[in-house]
Amino acid sequence: MLTAIIDYESGNLHSAAKAFQRMAHEMDAGEVVVTSDADVVARADRLVLPGDGAFPACATELRGHKGLYDAMVEAVEQKGRPFLGICVGMQLMATTGHEYEKTAGIGWIAGDVVKITPSDSALKVPHMGWNNLVIDSDHAIFDGISSGDHTYFVHSYQFQVRDPAERLAHVDYGGEVTAVIGRDTMIGMQFHPEKSQDVGLRMIGNFLIWKP
């Protein structure tokens, strides 16, 4: 079993890699590698797409690594490999991003990435820190996780999902903000599971043994 964390030069992957490697060891879930090699992505059993920074820059970097991008898309769309997008990696799954400029996403989950606009002016943007998950739909990723559990967020833009069935969890931040999305073999998390202590580690472990 091989899990590939895709490195497309968009953020420091050290903490994510350590968390995934720890849980792979604990769950006996094989090897985890950080890679920018399209051949490794093509043969991996699971894929993880992190992302830090602005949507347009991340989208440009990802597509700029054409072989890597094509291998990822083929693995998910044609081979049905389990996929996890984290933070901007989740947002890139959208139809369109609206950060600075209108930018096409991968289009796996229909929706738009737009600025967070809390109804309470006392709530600052970016949405930064711990918040309580509200689970909207049962899913294997939530095994051992309950509504009210805390995860760690750092973001100024939110994913507005068009199909409510594809929003698996949200948090309240002056309105409902999407926290987890998914369909078929794809999952996305707006928060950073590697920074979310036991809850985040549990969800990483759940992904590593998920059999969609």
Side-chain angles (χ1 to χ4, degrees):
M1 186 71 69
L2 175 64
T3 298
I5 299 177
I6 298 171
D7 180 6
Y8 58 108
E9 300 178 39
S10 183
N12 181 2
L13 306 183
H14 179 75
S15 60
K18 289 296 184 185
F20 276 84
Q21 288 163 356
R22 170 183 168 180
M23 294 312 297
H25 176 74
E26 291 188 12
M27 308 291 285
D28 193 23
E31 183 184 6
V32 176
V33 297
V34 175
T35 186
S36 57
D37 187 329
D39 291 336
V40 175
V41 169
R43 65 182 173 82
D45 301 286
R46 296 171 193 274
L47 302 176
V48 180
L49 183 70
D52 287 311
F55 188 108
C58 289
T60 297
E61 285 288 347
L62 182 59
R63 289 192 171 95
H65 292 71
K66 188 176 187 315
L68 189 66
Y69 177 79
D70 290 346
M72 179 190 76
V73 170
E74 181 179 354
V76 175
E77 293 184 357
Q78 298 182 27
K79 301 176 183 176
R81 298 286 191 258
F83 172 92
L84 172 62
I86 297 174
C87 197
V88 180
M90 179 194 96
Q91 294 179 0
L92 290 172
M93 297 166 70
T95 310
T96 309
H98 299 270
E99 186 172 359
Y100 302 126
E101 60 189 38
K102 188 175 180 180
T103 307
I106 303 169
W108 285 338
I109 300 284
D112 296 275
V113 177
V114 300
K115 184 82 171 179
I116 298 172
T117 55
S119 59
D120 182 351
S121 61
L123 295 173
K124 304 301 183 185
V125 177
H127 171 216
M128 185 183 309
W130 297 90
N131 207 332
N132 300 337
L133 286 177
V134 179
I135 296 174
D136 297 308
S137 298
D138 290 336
H139 193 281
I141 203 73
F142 297 130
D143 181 34
I145 306 297
S146 302
S147 288
D149 285 344
H150 292 71
T151 51
Y152 189 82
F153 293 80
V154 183
H155 64 124
S156 298
Y157 284 75
Q158 61 178 324
F159 195 142
Q160 293 184 334
V161 180
R162 292 181 195 164
D163 183 350
E166 294 176 352
R167 191 187 77 174
L168 306 183
H170 70 276
V171 294
D172 180 60
Y173 195 72
E176 295 184 357
V177 173
T178 299
V180 183
I181 60 173
R183 71 171 178 87
D184 303 331
T185 65
M186 308 169 204
I187 290 288
M189 300 176 185
Q190 180 62 70
F191 52 87
H192 287 270
E194 75 280 8
K195 297 178 181 178
S196 298
Q197 298 183 358
D198 291 347
V199 172
L201 290 174
R202 179 62 183 256
M203 294 179 77
I204 289 171
N206 289 343
F207 172 73
L208 291 172
I209 62 171
W210 178 38
K211 296 179 179 179

